Amino acid sequence: MKIPIITAVSLAVVAAGAGAQEAAPAPGNKIAAISSCISLAGSGKLAEAAAEARAAEADFRSRVTRNPRDVESRVGLAQLLSQCILPSAEMMQKGELSAEALELLDQAIELQPDHWLARFVLANISDQSPPFLGRRKRAAQEYDILLRMQGDRNDNPLFARVFVSRGRQLSREGQVDSARVLWSRGLTLFPNDTELQKLNDGASSSPLAALPSPSAPQSAATPTLSAVEITASAAPRVASPSMKSVSRSEVLLTAGGAADVFQAVQMQPGATRVNEGGDVYTRGGDASETALVVNGGRLVSLGRFEGLSGSMFGALEPFVVRSVRYSSGGFSVKHGNSLSGVLEIETDGRPREQQKRFGLSLVQASGTIRSPLASNAGGWLSARLSHTGALLRTHGRTGEFTGAPRSAEIVGSIVMNPTPLTEVSATVIAESDESRRNMSAAGWRGSFDSRGDKQAVVLRSRWISESVPLVVRANLTASNRTSDWNFGVLSRERDERNGALRVDAEWEPSSGMLVRAGVEHGKHYREDAGSVPTAESVAPDAPFERLSGRENTTNAGSYVEGERSFGRLSVTTGIRTDRLAGESELTVDPRVAFSVQTGNWTTRFSGGLFHQGRWRGDTAIPDAGTPSGLPRLARHLVLGVERNSEGSLVKVETFVKQYDEYRTYGSGPAINQASARGIEILAQRAVGKLSGWVGYSLLDATSTLESGARVRSAFDITHSATASLTATVKRDWSIGTTVRYGTGAPYSPVVGSRTGSRGRIEPMYGELMSHRLPAYTRIDSRLMRYVPTRAFMLTTFAEVLNVTGRRNVASYTWDANYTRREPVPSFFSQRTFVIGGEVMLK
């Protein structure tokens, strides 16, 4: 998807407009970044152009997020994405970048309909998009509007480009005479424009004395071109460290990520690679310590195929995910009831054009439809059916399952903009999954049958004041999750229902100052039925107790936070208070963050208190060999240094996290306190047609028992490393490889057995958490090809998971007498091949 380049001369015009104002240095620097990267792209230095654009992208995104009324930052970000980053991007990334740029420009035009530059960039992107997207008609409409806005003005060199581009459109459509008339009129206004001269020299020499205008000349009453003005803003930079962003294309393109949002997040530094599942463990903390937020609403879970060690995959189609932000520590007081991390997912916004997508692979079939519903509303719907039967048969693994894992999910949204400054949306998620796998665990070999159902509704609204810099957001969330497990004497059915109301406000009282505040209230209900073992065995003769209970609780919280910039220094301070779910007392969490920018270097520091309530699910099977307890307080200290320059990003963070205020949980030795500390390194680089990143985490996580003994945490994965490389071959081929390594998780060895008080054989453990599972190593590769046609885009892929066929061990199990140990292989412990493709069309 080749986008024509707006020359550096045109950007000088924009910069000149900015210079006429009282502008802070920062906006001028951003104008220079746009001008420089566009100039580089125009001279064919695509990698350098993308590098410069990436360096400025974060600041533009910050400005757009902080001030939804900021039209200029929207247009600037759209230019960076479409004119600087897109030309060198991989094919799938091109589509994502152009779609985001168009949405930003549409939003800018809705806020300011007479914004010439926004319409011009939008027209160029639409004009140069692949024919199957059907954007040429929109381009023609925008060019005609631009011609009406310009009239006979000739004081901006960019105006000539509209005559050139619209004339070429007319010529392609067979309207050659109309194209000649338009080019001639343009040359009259811009006699020194070389491109118009060439077009007119190549035209017929027939008389063109009377030059009818395709649009009425601009009258004196037409608004001035505010597009050439950049509004100064000293909006403070985000001071919080430990934030990782994962784009949709990264989720879809990363080899071994299974096109799954949660699997992609697990590859980021800060996420502890405890197992191959989809749950996110953060810096030595349990998965329940990482909050899941979708479109601003808190959800309990979006996992598929849940088992004793968590879920296997996520239940959210990546093709409707706009962005993923993962914070692994020191996060804002905006988020409460979370000890370790926050995973924020934003789904797609309002569709402004029709689009369809259909996919089929060895594992699943899916489809997505996007469509405008009115002039100010749009909706999208995506469905996915997964069935692993074909995969298991082709790999000779049907004997592992009595019922192949299968799932069905649907997610949809309607987004409306009653006015340019208000937005209302409703998002619905529904998922159902089932699997029956033969497995050996807890002294029993049999079929582990699981079934799960999830439903969630997220209502969201946003209101922007016309008179003051104030934004108010409100969220209403309702969700339900049902899980049903059957394995030996374990027969547990759990029904969880949650509802929450949240209101947030952002106010910018002065340049460089931002204040946030919010309140929230939630209700939670849980009902259990069935039976669970009271010993570490689920064998048919093992002791068990019946489940029949209902619990409910509420939570309430509020926070206030301020950000202030002092030149290169940015300071964020905040405090929140909560009455958490399952607790009776109030908690108070103060937090602070600093950031200092020096050239291409940014240093960040954050710390504070983080509380989480006891309202978390209990374990299904007792485990006396694992230290147990549920922490309710964590203290974070995070220090990070980052360099972002010349197409590369290097980030180093060190952290300390201390746990306290434990309550009884599980049947192992009770934990009194715990700590996790470590260092994380992330390096990203793009060179020509190669792009990749390397992440490494060093973690030291320990627990202090009530007895005073200090042992390894169950999630102490000392070394974690991931490297991913993608190469674009020619224009329509790409190949990617991902390599992962992780130290094995600690466990307590079984050194013998004894007869318990109930006459059953029980394990005897050696030194607690003194042994480790074998190290985890996996290599995955993916080959993709794109076949664009005038009617559609076909994308095909072939992927190999676990290329070397390494038999990674997920855990160990013992026979009923605890005399023989067997390794339990991970799900992808064999070399696995997956092929598929998808079609995208208008």
Side-chain angles (χ1 to χ4, degrees):
M1 192 183 302
K2 185 177 180 182
I3 301 296
I5 305 302
I6 299 178
T7 63
V9 174
S10 68
L11 270 298
V13 177
V14 179
Q21 301 187 48
E22 262 185 51
N29 292 340
K30 300 314 168 188
I31 298 169
I34 298 174
S35 175
S36 176
C37 76
I38 290 177
S39 178
L40 288 169
S43 60
K45 299 177 181 179
L46 302 184
E48 291 89 339
E52 285 215 15
R54 289 294 188 192
E57 180 187 2
D59 189 69
F60 272 98
R61 289 192 182 279
S62 175
R63 292 171 184 275
V64 169
T65 300
R66 293 168 183 276
N67 184 4
R69 298 181 302 173
D70 189 344
V71 173
E72 307 306 334
S73 290
R74 276 180 160 76
V75 178
L77 179 56
Q79 288 181 276
L80 290 177
L81 297 177
S82 63
Q83 297 168 244
C84 300
I85 299 175
L86 185 147
S88 62
E90 193 269 348
M91 185 68 75
M92 186 174 291
Q93 292 174 318
K94 290 180 187 288
E96 182 181 2
L97 291 167
S98 66
E100 183 180 1
L102 289 173
E103 183 174 4
L104 288 165
L105 294 166
D106 269 318
Q107 292 170 351
I109 292 169
E110 288 172 359
L111 290 168
Q112 191 173 332
D114 64 338
H115 201 293
W116 189 94
L117 187 59
R119 291 189 182 276
F120 177 70
V121 178
L122 187 149
N124 271 266
I125 297 173
S126 301
D127 192 19
Q128 298 301 316
S129 293
F132 75 88
L133 291 175
R135 292 173 177 166
R136 299 285 173 82
K137 183 178 179 181
R138 174 70 188 278
Q141 293 172 345
E142 294 299 332
Y143 283 136
D144 287 342
I145 293 173
L146 290 169
L147 288 170
R148 286 194 295 271
M149 292 176 67
Q150 296 171 203
D152 293 327
R153 290 183 59 178
N154 61 359
D155 54 330
N156 187 335
L158 276 179
F159 294 168
R161 306 276 67 76
V162 182
F163 289 96
V164 171
S165 299
R166 182 60 175 129
R168 283 176 172 160
Q169 272 196 330
L170 293 169
S171 180
R172 285 197 304 264
E173 296 166 2
Q175 302 179 50
V176 179
D177 289 341
S178 297
R180 292 169 180 164
V181 169
L182 192 59
W183 289 332
S184 180
R185 177 173 172 243
L187 187 61
T188 301
L189 294 171
F190 301 93
N192 297 322
D193 189 274
T194 56
E195 198 163 4
L196 283 171
Q197 290 173 356
K198 292 177 182 178
L199 290 169
N200 277 277
D201 289 343
S204 170
S205 58
S206 57
L208 296 172
L211 300 177
S213 171
S215 48
Q218 177 182 7
S219 67
T222 301
T224 58
L225 299 179
S226 59
V228 298
E229 299 177 355
I230 300 294
T231 303
S233 173
R237 296 176 61 88
V238 177
S240 299
S242 306
M243 182 68 71
K244 293 89 176 172
S245 296
V246 183
S247 66
R248 177 190 302 171
S249 57
E250 287 179 287
V251 174
L252 295 171
L253 293 174
T254 302
D260 184 89
V261 172
F262 300 94
Q263 295 273 349
V265 171
Q266 274 200 354
M267 297 184 187
Q268 303 301 311
T272 308
R273 189 74 184 183
V274 175
N275 53 45
E276 279 191 339
D279 295 330
V280 178
Y281 297 79
T282 301
R283 289 180 174 172
D286 186 76
S288 64
E289 297 175 14
T290 297
L292 173 62
V293 180
V294 178
N295 290 346
R298 180 81 173 258
L299 299 182
V300 176
S301 171
L302 278 179
R304 290 184 291 161
F305 310 126
E306 294 185 18
L308 294 175
S309 57
S311 62
M312 191 64 202
F313 299 106
L316 192 60
E317 171 63 72
F319 284 98
V320 298
V321 172
R322 172 191 286 173
S323 65
V324 180
R325 288 161 53 89
Y326 172 51
S327 178
S328 55
F331 43 88
S332 163
V333 292
K334 178 181 179 180
H335 300 290
N337 198 31
S338 176
L339 291 182
S340 291
V342 179
L343 180 57
E344 296 179 89
I345 300 174
E346 288 284 328
T347 60
D348 277 344
R350 178 183 127 205
R352 290 170 167 81
E353 59 184 6
Q354 185 84 28
Q355 192 180 86
K356 303 182 185 71
R357 182 200 65 85
F358 303 99
L360 182 65
S361 73
L362 195 61
V363 179
Q364 66 185 29
S366 62
T368 306
I369 298 176
R370 297 180 174 87
S371 178
L373 300 177
S375 61
N376 62 349
W380 49 261
L381 185 69
S382 190
R384 177 168 60 175
L385 297 174
S386 301
H387 197 296
T388 59
L391 177 71
L392 297 175
R393 285 193 296 271
T394 55
H395 290 76
R397 298 180 60 182
T398 54
E400 299 177 25
F401 296 83
T402 56
R406 68 197 71 183
S407 67
E409 64 185 81
I410 187 168
V411 55
S413 184
I414 294 177
V415 185
M416 296 175 287
N417 294 99
T419 72
L421 296 177
T422 59
E423 181 174 282
V424 180
S425 68
T427 304
V428 178
I429 303 171
E431 187 274 341
S432 179
D433 60 79
E434 182 179 357
S435 68
R436 297 190 296 276
R437 184 178 186 182
N438 291 319
M439 61 180 289
S440 180
W444 171 251
R445 182 182 295 275
S447 176
F448 184 93
D449 301 344
S450 71
R451 181 182 59 83
D453 293 282
K454 302 166 192 68
Q455 302 87 34
V457 178
V458 181
L459 304 179
R460 178 167 63 172
S461 65
R462 183 198 67 192
W463 173 80
I464 306 171
S465 171
E466 293 184 4
S467 56
V468 295
L470 176 67
V471 182
V472 179
R473 297 178 175 89
N475 287 78
L476 180 62
T477 308
S479 63
N480 179 77
R481 177 176 72 161
T482 301
S483 58
D484 188 0
W485 296 350
N486 288 279
F487 183 55
V489 296
L490 171 63
S491 177
R492 194 198 75 181
E493 182 175 350
R494 171 167 289 171
D495 185 14
E496 298 174 272
R497 302 171 194 173
N498 300 274
L501 173 64
R502 182 184 182 104
V503 180
D504 299 273
E506 292 185 1
W507 176 47
E508 192 172 3
S510 62
S511 178
M513 180 68 183
L514 186 68
V515 178
R516 299 189 190 91
V519 295
E520 58 182 280
H521 178 69
K523 292 187 175 183
H524 315 274
Y525 169 86
R526 181 165 61 216
E527 180 177 357
D528 287 326
S531 61
V532 295
T534 56
E536 294 184 68
S537 174
V538 298
D541 60 343
F544 65 89
E545 64 179 2
R546 294 289 182 185
L547 291 177
S548 180
R550 299 178 181 179
E551 299 178 274
N552 61 77
T553 186
T554 62
N555 75 282
S558 62
Y559 74 91
V560 62
E561 181 178 62
E563 290 188 23
R564 187 73 170 94
S565 289
F566 304 91
R568 299 180 183 275
L569 171 67
S570 180
V571 181
T572 303
T573 56
I575 189 168
R576 70 172 294 125
T577 180
D578 293 277
R579 185 181 56 75
L580 297 168
E583 308 293 342
S584 57
E585 71 275 9
L586 289 176
T587 61
V588 178
D589 291 348
R591 301 173 195 172
V592 63
F594 303 90
S595 71
V596 179
Q597 190 172 14
T598 306
N600 296 322
W601 291 89
T602 303
T603 302
R604 295 187 174 98
F605 168 81
S606 70
L609 300 184
F610 301 77
H611 278 88
Q612 186 168 359
R614 69 182 70 205
W615 188 260
R616 289 173 259 175
D618 293 325
T619 56
I621 300 176
D623 181 4
T626 301
S628 62
L630 201 66
R632 291 177 289 168
L633 169 64
R635 299 176 179 88
H636 291 203
L637 287 176
V638 184
L639 175 63
V641 179
E642 173 184 329
R643 186 179 189 273
N644 193 342
S645 176
E646 299 177 358
S648 65
L649 169 68
V650 178
K651 181 186 292 187
V652 180
E653 283 190 357
T654 181
F655 67 90
V656 176
K657 179 169 57 175
Q658 295 181 324
Y659 290 101
D660 212 333
E661 296 185 8
Y662 276 81
R663 71 102 166 167
T664 302
Y665 174 83
S667 59
I671 300 174
N672 186 43
Q673 291 181 323
S675 67
R677 57 184 180 175
I679 298 174
E680 298 166 359
I681 302 172
L682 174 66
Q684 294 177 311
R685 178 70 173 171
V687 181
K689 296 183 178 181
L690 293 175
S691 63
W693 57 272
V694 177
Y696 169 75
S697 298
L698 173 65
L699 176 67
D700 176 28
T702 60
S703 300
T704 302
L705 308 182
E706 289 188 347
S707 64
R710 190 176 182 184
V711 300
R712 288 285 154 198
S713 163
F715 310 122
D716 178 55
I717 310 301
T718 308
H719 303 284
S720 297
T722 303
S724 182
L725 179 67
T726 301
T728 301
V729 184
K730 295 185 178 179
R731 188 176 68 91
D732 51 359
W733 288 87
S734 71
I735 184 169
T737 299
T738 300
V739 180
R740 280 175 275 191
Y741 170 84
T743 304
Y747 71 94
S748 301
V750 175
V751 297
S753 61
R754 64 187 175 190
T755 302
S757 58
R758 300 188 181 184
R760 286 193 55 82
I761 297 177
E762 297 177 350
M764 295 176 59
Y765 294 98
E767 185 180 352
L768 286 176
M769 313 306 285
S770 60
H771 285 44
R772 288 186 180 272
L773 296 174
Y776 181 93
T777 304
R778 186 170 130 191
I779 302 175
D780 307 305
S781 292
R782 174 183 291 182
L783 178 66
M784 302 187 71
R785 188 188 181 191
Y786 306 95
V787 183
T789 71
R790 294 192 63 83
F792 59 85
M793 166 78 83
L794 173 64
T795 303
T796 60
F797 73 89
E799 187 167 24
V800 184
L801 305 173
N802 194 5
V803 173
T804 62
R806 178 181 172 86
R807 300 283 290 182
N808 287 304
V809 176
S811 63
Y812 287 119
T813 187
W814 296 80
D815 62 6
N817 296 320
Y818 295 95
T819 58
R820 188 178 72 254
R821 187 184 76 174
E822 294 182 9
V824 177
S826 63
F827 183 81
F828 293 111
S829 63
Q830 298 181 27
R831 186 181 297 108
T832 304
F833 298 88
V834 182
I835 59 172
E838 69 167 48
V839 174
M840 182 176 292
L841 61 158
K842 173 86 173 157

